[in-house]
Amino acid sequence: EQQVQQSPASLVLQEAENAELQCSFSIFTNQVQWFYQRPGGRLVSLLYNPSGTKQSGRLTSTTVIKERRSSLHISSSQITDSGTYLCAMERTGGYKVVFGSGTRLLVSP
Amino acid sequence: GGIITQTPKFLIGQEGQKLTLKCQQNFNHDTMYWYRQDSGKGLRLIYYSITENDLQKGDLSEGYDASREKKSSFSLTVTSAQKNEMAVFLCASSPQGANSDYTFGSGTRLLVI
């Protein structure tokens, strides 16, 4: 069973367009985190957002715990935003962070 | 600032071979993790360790062993490499109970011929 579902699987945008990435969970969780990975690069943490709305620069995450979902909004996309965005949740009992399959974003000029 | 280092960066092995991957961190983080990343499948947890000499199985532990002899290092052994296997193994660390401070290594790319 895929516990973390991400959509869309891939997304192509033109520079300056906005992106909306979705993540849904099969179980309730209060630990949600978004990560970014450049092709061939290291995973880096973008936002830790267990509930509500959090913003970091052009990134805004909204997590609705009772609906078991989280979203990541990227405003005014740039070519350097291209890469894979993964969301992750912590299962009960701690430590077992489960990842989605990711959304592959390509921003073109 | 700290760093988490994985060695080797690339590993080519033969079928049936035992292969060891190493991970070192100097953040003084308590918890360390090994994940396997396959295309289209996200990351799957193999083993994790919450302190020195502790080992906990993840969802994909079969076919792997792990060792946490020091707080700063966590190694993963592929006990018998499978032919044509190709994957990226990622190590991560975090302070105990603080998932907001999850740091990943740059990965070890494995190819089995």
Side-chain angles (χ1 to χ4, degrees):
Chain A
E1 180 204 355
Q2 184 75 0
Q3 294 185 306
V4 182
Q5 301 270 8
Q6 287 192 245
S7 62
S10 60
L11 183 60
V12 180
L13 298 175
Q14 283 202 308
E15 201 171 9
E17 287 185 321
N18 298 330
E20 188 83 14
L21 283 55
Q22 304 288 343
C23 189
S24 62
F25 313 106
S26 60
I27 61 173
F28 286 102
T29 177
N30 61 354
Q31 306 275 3
V32 179
Q33 197 164 5
W34 285 90
F35 292 83
Y36 167 74
Q37 186 177 35
R38 199 176 301 280
R42 193 183 293 249
L43 244 78
V44 294
S45 177
L46 293 174
L47 281 169
Y48 175 69
N49 184 21
S51 67
T53 298
K54 275 200 174 175
Q55 185 173 1
S56 175
R58 294 183 292 107
L59 304 177
T60 303
S61 173
T62 300
T63 297
V64 184
I65 292 291
K66 61 180 180 181
E67 295 179 11
R68 292 182 281 160
R69 62 176 176 84
S70 181
S71 64
L72 181 69
H73 182 86
I74 306 172
S75 62
S76 303
S77 63
Q78 299 175 359
I79 294 170
T80 51
D81 292 334
S82 298
T84 301
Y85 291 79
L86 296 109
C87 72
M89 69 160 192
E90 183 183 295
R91 294 194 298 216
T92 53
Y95 304 111
K96 292 185 180 180
V97 177
V98 181
F99 287 79
S101 301
T103 292
R104 288 157 195 75
L105 174 66
L106 177 63
V107 182
S108 57
Chain B
I3 190 166
I4 181 165
T5 305
Q6 289 187 238
T7 55
K9 290 191 189 305
F10 298 95
L11 182 57
I12 299 177
Q14 292 188 319
E15 186 182 12
Q17 195 175 2
K18 181 185 281 191
L19 304 166
T20 299
L21 291 64
K22 295 186 184 296
C23 179
Q24 294 261 125
Q25 53 96 2
N26 63 0
F27 294 102
N28 200 35
H29 283 170
D30 295 297
T31 310
M32 295 185 74
Y33 312 79
W34 276 107
Y35 285 90
R36 176 178 165 131
Q37 185 176 32
D38 294 278
S39 179
K41 291 185 179 178
L43 275 67
R44 291 179 289 174
L45 182 63
I46 306 172
Y47 268 99
Y48 66 100
S49 166
I50 62 175
T51 189
E52 185 177 326
N53 292 320
D54 174 75
L55 287 177
Q56 307 284 340
K57 291 184 178 181
D59 298 316
L60 203 65
S61 60
E62 190 169 333
Y64 302 94
D65 286 329
S67 173
R68 183 95 183 271
E69 292 168 353
K70 293 190 300 185
K71 186 176 182 180
S72 61
S73 67
F74 192 30
S75 61
L76 180 74
T77 297
V78 180
T79 55
S80 179
Q82 302 297 305
K83 190 174 175 61
N84 297 323
E85 184 173 6
M86 191 165 64
V88 178
F89 292 86
L90 296 175
C91 175
S93 70
S94 69
Q96 188 175 12
N99 287 318
S100 59
D101 200 5
Y102 223 76
T103 306
F104 277 86
S106 56
T108 293
R109 283 151 184 80
L110 171 68
L111 174 63
V112 181
I113 55 176

